[in-house]
Amino acid sequence: MTILAVETSCDETAAAIVENGTKLLANVVASSQELHVTTGGIVPEVAAREQVKVIIPVIDFTLKQAGCESCDIDGIAVTVGPGLIGSLLIGVETAKSLSFAWNKPLIAVNHLVGHIYANFINHPELADGSIFPSVVLVVSGGHSDLVLLKNHGEMQWLGGTLDDAAGEAFDKAARILGLGYPGGPAISEAASTYLRRASFEALAKEDHLVLPRPLLHANNYDFSFSGLKTALLTANQTKKYENTALAFEFQEAVVDCLVKKTIKAASHFNAKSIMLAGGVAANMRLREIIGKSAGNIPLYYPEPKFCTDNAAMIGSAAFFNQTFVPWENLVPDSSLSLES
Ligand code: KG4
Ligand code: ZN
């Protein structure tokens, strides 16, 4: 089955063509990120205005890249939520129009489920179900959830953030430290600089900054990053610590919380695998520490370019969870979650 997928939930305008859920024939992502650097974050109206300009050229280019015509496409997948409503509408209305004009079935995809299926792109060996049950950590700019994926389409929500999402926390921390947008890669780079320079003695010193690990020992699978961000702000105001040291410890604290809860869930549910998903899954320190903690449990994470928003993951999720919707009935839902 060859699926044309469209993703416009945030500032990206993306299209992809995916065969049988794992084989990528074309992948195009247009981003308006440089426009958001000047504002230190996304202005929804600005993002949507860019998307409406590029959606058709992006789809056109994707078809050309794959050497496909409309007759080669078996279905159209589109992100239905969660996301920015103006942005979602552009993808959804375009997909509905194509579904009607080409007479192709339409598949609605939850963006967060899409992030999970980024793990399957170029990995047909994962498709046979032997990785289930899998504990999945979904950490993006808007969401942080821990779920148990029992099979394709069969999911149990275990917990999530009570306040800021992990990616949002990285973005806010970067703003506090004046490191720019998007914050995740900026914090990660500053933390690596610190790690390269700092001696182990310095890290062990008593005045080495230690930030809190909220909910680390709580008997649940929830996260909380808002207090951690305030602790970073307070530490920064003391002017005692270098920016890179603050970035390092902030990343350590976030990674610590994410890893401990994920491993706890994996061992409680006898998971056959652990998967990382979402923009924060691109974080190398998270991959390193969870890799060390996972022991014998196989760990999977998408290639960095499939961690952040793209349409390939939507095409993959659509193949494995074929929820067909008549085009007349499809409406975007900006607050869709993994809990429902
Ligand atoms: O999944 P995504 O592309 O968009 C949403 O669906 O939200 O995630 C974007 C988020 C941003 O908050 C960004 O700072 C974060 O992912 N991110 C990272 C890294 N790369 C992107 N966070 C930590 N480390 C990274 N290397
Ligand atoms: Zn996303």
Side-chain angles (χ1 to χ4, degrees):
M1 182 181 196
T2 304
I3 293 179
L4 167 67
V6 175
E7 150 66 44
T8 61
S9 66
C10 196
D11 59 330
E12 279 86 8
T13 310
I17 297 177
V18 183
E19 201 179 271
N20 295 334
T22 60
K23 190 171 172 196
L24 192 56
L25 303 186
N27 187 42
V28 178
V29 182
S31 169
S32 57
Q33 203 171 77
E34 57 294 357
L35 293 175
H36 311 305
V37 169
T38 50
T39 43
I42 295 164
V43 178
E45 181 67 20
V46 173
R49 279 174 191 271
E50 288 307 302
Q51 285 165 316
V52 84
K53 282 192 245 168
V54 300
I55 183 82
I56 299 298
V58 163
I59 291 174
D60 242 357
F61 189 58
T62 307
L63 286 163
K64 282 202 186 84
Q65 203 182 73
C68 282
E69 298 192 18
S70 61
C71 57
D72 303 315
I73 302 296
D74 301 309
I76 296 165
V78 65
T79 302
V80 70
L84 305 170
I85 191 64
S87 296
L88 286 168
L89 267 167
I90 290 159
V92 166
E93 292 306 317
T94 306
K96 283 164 72 168
S97 308
L98 290 178
S99 167
F100 171 70
W102 293 350
N103 193 25
K104 307 280 178 188
L106 191 59
I107 307 167
V109 177
N110 178 322
H111 178 77
L112 300 168
V113 176
H115 271 303
I116 297 173
Y117 277 86
N119 281 284
F120 289 71
I121 300 162
N122 298 332
H123 288 284
E125 75 280 6
L126 301 189
D128 66 1
S130 55
I131 59 164
F132 298 131
S134 181
V135 163
V136 194
L137 176 68
V138 188
V139 269
S140 72
H143 296 81
S144 295
D145 296 287
L146 206 48
V147 299
L148 183 68
L149 194 60
K150 297 175 180 172
N151 209 328
H152 296 297
E154 207 185 316
M155 192 180 295
Q156 181 184 342
W157 185 82
L158 304 176
T161 185
L162 304 181
D163 38 60
D164 292 349
E168 183 183 2
F170 272 106
D171 292 338
K172 287 178 177 170
R175 205 173 305 155
I176 290 170
L177 301 180
L179 293 176
Y181 174 86
I187 293 275
S188 183
E189 198 184 317
S192 302
T193 305
Y194 177 76
L195 204 53
R196 272 197 301 276
R197 281 204 324 245
S199 63
F200 285 107
E201 295 85 74
L203 288 170
K205 266 203 329 218
E206 265 177 28
D207 64 349
H208 165 67
L209 170 70
V210 178
L211 291 172
R213 268 77 170 151
L215 300 182
L216 191 68
H217 301 293
N219 190 23
N220 56 32
Y221 296 113
D222 291 333
F223 309 107
S224 166
F225 298 114
S226 169
L228 175 57
K229 175 196 62 195
T230 310
L232 177 79
L233 181 68
T234 310
N236 189 38
Q237 282 165 347
T238 65
K239 307 222 178 300
K240 256 175 73 184
Y241 307 101
E242 266 186 54
N243 242 5
T244 56
L246 290 160
F248 171 80
E249 177 55 16
F250 182 81
Q251 180 175 258
E252 291 301 290
V254 174
V255 166
D256 219 4
C257 296
L258 296 176
V259 170
K260 294 258 163 60
K261 291 274 164 99
T262 307
I263 298 296
K264 183 172 129 178
S267 82
H268 180 80
F269 291 99
N270 283 322
K272 289 220 185 98
S273 67
I274 294 173
M275 286 196 270
L276 303 181
V280 182
N283 187 280
M284 293 302 166
R285 187 70 172 162
L286 172 63
R287 292 173 176 209
E288 180 194 341
I289 303 293
I290 202 162
K292 284 182 182 153
S293 314
N296 294 330
I297 310 173
L299 170 70
Y300 301 99
Y301 37 76
E303 284 175 45
K305 68 174 173 199
F306 299 129
C307 287
T308 46
D309 290 349
N310 64 85
M313 66 187 198
I314 303 302
S316 177
F319 176 78
F320 290 107
N321 305 268
Q322 297 182 14
T323 31
F324 296 103
V325 190
W327 70 263
E328 304 92 315
N329 297 351
L330 190 66
V331 277
D333 180 353
S334 62
S335 55
L336 201 64
S337 73
L338 284 177
E339 278 180 77
S340 45

